Amino acid sequence: MHSISSLNVVDLLLDAVCIVEPDSTIVFVSPAFERIFGYTPQEVVGRRMLDLVHPDDMPATAQQAQNVMEGELQLQYENRYIRKDGSVAHISWTARWVPDRNVRLAVAHDITERKFTETMQQAIYAISEAAHHAQTLQTLFERIHQIIGKLLAATNFSVALYDAQQDRLSYPYHVNEHHPAPGPLALSDDALCAEVIRHGTPLLLTPETRAALSSRVALPTDHAPLYWLGVPLQSQAGTMGALVLQGYTEQARYTHKDKELLQFVSTQVAAAINRHQMHERLQHMAQYDQLTHLPNRQLFLDRLKTALARARRDDRLLSLLFIDLDRFKDVNDTLGHAMGDLLLQRVAQRLMESVRGSDTVARLGGDEFVVLLEGGQAREHATAAAEKILVAFSHPFDLEGNQVHIQPSIGVAIFPEHGGEENHLLGHADEAMYVSKKSGGNQVRVARPVHPPPAYVPAK
C-alpha cells in the first residue's frame, strides 16, 4: 500500500521526505532524514513523528498536522525537533494530505543554521538595547539572563567579575536552584571560573569530560552540575570575568555548539558591561569626592533638598553638623600633603563610624565635612551626635606610624528652627562652626535662633 518505488529520486535530495499516517506514525523517510534529525530510516519507521517534536512546539505542530489532513496545503511551516544527540533542529515544512493513500506527505528543510544566524543578530541587538536602557548593572544582568535564556537552557546563570588587582571574584548576578550567591572569593577558590579567566578560553564540563578535567581542576562536589559551561568576558584590559551556565539534568545539557554560541554572545555582553561600568565611574566621579569617596557638595545638596521635603511632609526635625578640622594645615606643613590626604581619608572613615547608616556624611572641600541627620524628634539628638563625634576624635589617628591628634570644630543647625531652605540651613551651620573654632575649637556650637523665627513649627 505504501510502496515508494516511484520516489527513488529522493535519495539524491538534501531535504528529507517523510510519509506519516494520521496518528503521525512514520512509514517512510528518505536517507536525508539521518543528516537532519540524526536517526537512520530504520530507527524511526514505526515511531510517531510527533514524539520527536520539541515539547514547546507540540501543540502548534499537532494543530498544523490536523489542518493538513483537512485539506490545507502547508507551505514553509517552521517548528523545532529534538535530534538524536539531544540538540535542537529548526525545520521548515512543506506538506500535503494524500487522500487516496491516507497519509501526509511532507518535505523537511533544515533551517537550523539560518535560525542560528537570525538568533545571533537578534541577541546582539537586544544586548545593545539593554546596555542603552538599563539604569544599573543589576537590571542589565537581568536582561542579559533573559536574552541568553532564549538561546540556551539558562535556569542557572551567573556573571562572575574579576578584580585583577586583588585577584578576587565577585558575583553581582547569580541565579542557581541549588546554591545561593557566594560572597567575594579569591580566584583560586572557584576552580572552574579560575580556569576560564586565567586562560581566557571557554570551558565545557560534561559527564564525558569530567574524569579528564578532574585530573587538573578541583571540581565541585556539593550539588555538582552535570553540565558546566563558562566563557570569558574579554575587554581591552584583559579578562574581566566570566558568564557561567550550569545544568543539573539532561534537559539542560550543553554542547560545543552551545559553547560557540555563548562565546559569541559574551563579546557583546563584555562590551555592554564595559560601557555601563564606565558610565557608573563617570557618574561616581561627578557625585563623589575622589579622595574620601564621600558624597561631594553637589550630591549632598541634592540629598539635603530631598531630606527637607521629607521633613516638611512628615513634620519631623532635620539637623546639619558642619565640621572643620582644627589646625589641619599643621599636618600638611609637618608631614606633607600625602599624609594630609591620608588623614582626610581616616577622618571620613571615623565620621562614618560615628553616625547611623541612614545618615549622610559628605566632604564639601578641603578639611570641611558635613553630616545630615534625619528623623530626629528633639534638637538634643543633633548635639548628642556631635558630642559622639568629639569623643571619637579624642583618639589619635595613625598615619603610617605617625600618631596625629586632630580635633574638630562643629556647628549645628536644625530645621525648621534655623531655616527651611538648603543654603540657609547650611549657612547657619557654617556660622556656628566658626563660632566654635574662634572659641578654641574641639567643641560644638548650635546656630543662633533665626529672627523672626520661621512660621513653621513641628509637632511636639
Side-chain angles (χ1 to χ4, degrees):
M1 177 178 178
H2 301 300
S3 173
I4 320 295
S5 58
S6 60
L7 296 177
N8 285 340
V9 69
V10 300
D11 291 354
L12 304 176
L13 297 178
L14 294 177
D15 295 339
V17 176
C18 308
I19 297 177
V20 301
E21 294 179 336
D23 66 352
S24 87
T25 297
I26 300 171
V27 296
F28 170 82
V29 294
S30 66
F33 191 92
E34 182 177 4
R35 180 185 62 81
I36 297 175
F37 296 91
Y39 295 96
T40 65
Q42 293 77 14
E43 289 176 308
V44 292
V45 169
R47 295 183 60 178
R48 295 176 72 247
M49 192 71 184
L50 283 175
D51 292 340
L52 307 182
V53 175
H54 190 289
D56 293 345
D57 293 354
M58 181 71 74
T61 300
Q63 183 58 55
Q64 284 295 322
Q66 183 62 39
N67 294 344
V68 170
M69 289 188 292
E70 291 174 359
E72 180 180 313
L73 180 62
Q74 185 184 79
L75 297 173
Q76 297 181 330
Y77 171 70
E78 297 180 4
N79 63 357
R80 293 170 296 171
Y81 282 75
I82 304 299
R83 292 189 175 109
K84 184 178 180 179
D85 64 4
S87 62
V88 175
H90 292 261
I91 306 298
S92 175
W93 290 97
T94 300
R96 64 184 292 268
W97 179 243
V98 184
D100 59 329
R101 296 198 177 187
N102 198 39
V103 294
R104 293 196 306 273
L105 173 63
V107 176
H109 179 62
D110 188 356
I111 57 171
T112 304
E113 288 301 321
R114 191 196 83 194
K115 282 292 185 181
F116 177 81
T117 301
E118 291 175 356
T119 300
M120 286 299 93
Q121 292 172 342
Q122 293 167 0
I124 292 171
Y125 178 77
I127 292 171
S128 177
E129 285 287 293
H132 179 72
H133 293 292
Q135 297 298 310
T136 65
L137 274 177
Q138 180 66 22
T139 55
L140 174 62
F141 294 146
E142 289 172 358
R143 182 67 186 116
I144 287 172
H145 188 183
Q146 295 171 357
I147 294 166
I148 291 177
K150 294 179 180 179
L151 307 175
L152 302 167
T155 301
N156 303 288
F157 172 71
S158 301
V159 179
L161 295 184
Y162 177 55
D163 183 337
Q165 290 185 338
Q166 299 188 25
D167 198 34
R168 293 182 71 80
L169 284 176
S170 62
Y171 302 82
Y173 188 84
H174 178 86
V175 177
N176 190 285
E177 56 193 318
H178 294 295
H179 301 285
L185 298 173
L187 179 62
S188 58
D189 289 339
D190 189 332
L192 291 174
C193 274
E195 189 78 3
V196 172
I197 291 169
R198 283 175 179 150
H199 298 287
T201 55
L203 178 65
L204 174 60
L205 172 67
T206 70
E208 293 75 26
T209 64
R210 181 175 296 274
L213 191 59
S214 64
S215 64
R216 60 187 177 89
V217 177
L219 301 180
T221 56
D222 183 30
H223 289 295
L226 284 176
Y227 297 89
W228 192 97
L229 174 58
V231 298
L233 291 168
Q234 300 284 16
S235 70
Q236 291 182 343
T239 303
M240 60 189 295
L243 297 182
V244 176
L245 292 170
Q246 299 186 60
Y248 293 90
T249 67
E250 283 296 333
Q251 284 67 46
R253 68 196 304 271
Y254 300 115
T255 66
H256 287 283
K257 185 73 172 179
D258 297 328
K259 183 175 69 174
E260 294 174 7
L261 187 154
L262 191 62
Q263 187 174 16
F264 180 82
V265 170
S266 73
T267 304
Q268 311 303 317
V269 174
I273 294 173
N274 252 335
R275 287 195 298 271
H276 227 278
Q277 287 179 331
M278 182 174 294
H279 174 74
E280 288 188 340
R281 284 194 294 269
L282 292 173
Q283 191 174 43
H284 189 275
M285 290 173 63
Q287 296 181 326
Y288 289 83
D289 173 57
Q290 297 306 294
L291 178 64
T292 63
H293 301 292
L294 294 177
N296 61 16
R297 177 183 289 270
Q298 186 57 54
L299 180 56
F300 170 75
L301 290 175
D302 289 343
R303 289 188 180 180
L304 177 57
K305 183 176 183 179
T306 303
L308 281 169
R310 279 196 295 267
R312 295 188 192 98
R313 182 194 65 203
D314 299 336
D315 205 20
R316 303 291 292 271
L317 297 177
L318 177 150
S319 306
L320 286 186
L321 311 183
F322 200 110
I323 301 165
D324 188 89
L325 303 181
D326 299 334
R327 292 175 290 279
F328 173 72
K329 183 175 182 297
D330 294 346
V331 177
N332 280 335
D333 291 344
T334 58
L335 298 178
H337 288 279
M339 288 297 104
D341 287 347
L342 181 58
L343 175 59
L344 292 174
Q345 292 173 334
R346 297 280 195 269
V347 165
Q349 183 62 36
R350 196 166 292 187
L351 287 173
M352 292 286 290
E353 294 170 352
S354 301
V355 299
R356 302 168 302 181
S358 58
D359 299 325
T360 294
V361 179
R363 183 188 179 204
L364 301 185
D367 59 335
E368 293 182 338
F369 297 83
V370 65
V371 178
L372 168 61
L373 306 172
E374 292 191 70
Q377 295 180 322
R379 70 196 308 272
E380 290 77 14
H381 172 70
T383 54
E387 292 291 346
K388 183 178 179 182
I389 291 173
L390 286 183
V391 172
F393 275 66
S394 66
H395 305 289
F397 291 87
D398 184 358
L399 305 182
E400 296 184 354
N402 298 294
Q403 300 298 308
V404 175
H405 292 269
I406 198 87
Q407 286 83 36
S409 293
I410 304 177
V412 178
I414 302 170
F415 166 85
E417 182 179 340
H418 299 115
E421 301 298 327
E422 307 93 82
N423 291 329
H424 292 161
L425 204 61
L426 191 59
H428 287 299
D430 189 10
E431 290 175 4
M433 181 274 295
Y434 273 107
V435 172
S436 171
K437 188 173 287 288
K438 289 178 181 179
S439 301
N442 193 30
Q443 58 185 283
V444 179
R445 289 296 178 97
V446 179
R448 293 175 298 175
V450 177
H451 297 288
Y456 175 83
V457 178
K460 300 295 185 183

